[in-house]
Amino acid sequence: MATSRDGLAARALRYLESKKNLAGSACGVVGVGLALTGLAGASWPFVIAGLYGAGALIAPPERVPVPDFDPSEQLGVLRGDFERLREYLAEVELPPAAGGKLTELLELYGRLLDPGWVADVLAGEPESVHVLSRAVRTDVPESVDTYNRARWWSRLQPGTVPPERHLERQLSVLFDEAERVTAGLHEVEARRQQTHTTYLEERERS
């Protein structure tokens, strides 16, 4: 009960300090002036209340501050999930071709996520972080898990498309995606270098 009262008191205090209350109060003061001069007549309480309400309505809404997310913390969480993925994959038996492709993919993910300047560039590209997060947390484990389940069914229905072929195709798509992320980060650095070159050349001419 005390917590509920504290919450109500805090909300009341926030409203008293809000732009809506300040604007309404300013308009209400005008209403008080009209009442004191007799211009509001006998309906002065309604005039004051109406002016307060009008002021509160026209006041701009309070801006709620946007949460300050730390990109480096997001990458830290993703690194932890990546390690869990690697532990899971270490227990899974895969055919040689798919296993080799998966090893290449994990090495590329590892190079992108290793702490350092590459990860710093990655942290500044939310779309790239999203792509890697989706791959680590959903795409790779789903590909491996569906392969394991499909492999069991293929024993009951010989002659169907081998499940390892689907797995190889999926891992190839994910590897191409990771390479596009890498190329995009390289482009970011190239633009940064070009921008600095342009700045230095313009400074020299000025």
Side-chain angles (χ1 to χ4, degrees):
M1 182 64 69
T3 302
S4 177
R5 286 198 298 268
D6 292 343
L8 290 174
R11 287 196 293 270
L13 181 60
R14 284 198 298 270
Y15 180 76
L16 289 175
E17 297 174 344
S18 68
K19 296 177 182 177
K20 286 185 175 295
N21 182 54
L22 294 176
S25 298
C27 292
V29 169
V30 175
V32 172
L34 294 176
L36 292 177
T37 58
L39 295 177
S43 58
W44 63 267
F46 301 101
V47 172
I48 294 175
L51 287 173
Y52 175 88
L57 286 174
I58 64 174
E62 294 293 324
R63 180 180 176 274
V64 179
V66 178
D68 185 18
F69 296 111
D70 186 350
S72 61
E73 290 184 3
Q74 297 182 49
L75 280 189
V77 174
L78 181 54
R79 286 190 192 102
D81 292 339
F82 179 58
E83 288 305 315
R84 290 171 56 198
L85 174 65
R86 296 178 72 167
E87 292 172 2
Y88 159 70
L89 295 174
E91 302 296 325
V92 177
E93 182 181 349
L94 297 177
K101 196 66 178 178
L102 181 61
T103 298
E104 293 180 19
L105 180 62
L106 295 180
E107 288 176 353
L108 183 52
Y109 288 161
R111 288 196 294 270
L112 291 171
L113 290 172
D114 278 345
W117 68 268
V118 174
D120 292 341
V121 177
L122 174 62
E125 299 297 317
E127 181 60 30
S128 297
V129 174
H130 170 70
V131 170
L132 286 183
S133 299
R134 181 181 59 195
V136 168
R137 293 166 177 157
T138 303
D139 295 336
V140 173
E142 179 69 12
S143 296
V144 173
D145 186 54
T146 52
Y147 160 75
N148 278 323
R149 288 183 283 132
R151 183 175 59 170
W152 185 86
W153 287 105
S154 66
R155 294 170 182 169
L156 301 180
Q157 293 181 306
T160 58
V161 178
E164 57 267 24
R165 190 171 302 170
H166 282 292
L167 177 60
E168 291 167 17
R169 289 166 57 187
Q170 292 166 6
L171 294 176
S172 293
V173 170
L174 290 172
F175 188 82
D176 291 343
E177 180 183 65
E179 285 195 318
R180 286 195 296 272
V181 169
T182 305
L185 298 178
H186 174 242
E187 185 178 348
V188 169
E189 286 295 276
R191 287 199 303 268
R192 178 184 176 189
Q193 185 182 36
Q194 179 59 50
T195 299
H196 190 57
T197 299
T198 303
Y199 161 73
L200 292 176
E201 290 175 346
E202 290 180 349
R203 190 178 70 180
E204 183 181 20
R205 288 194 294 265
S206 62

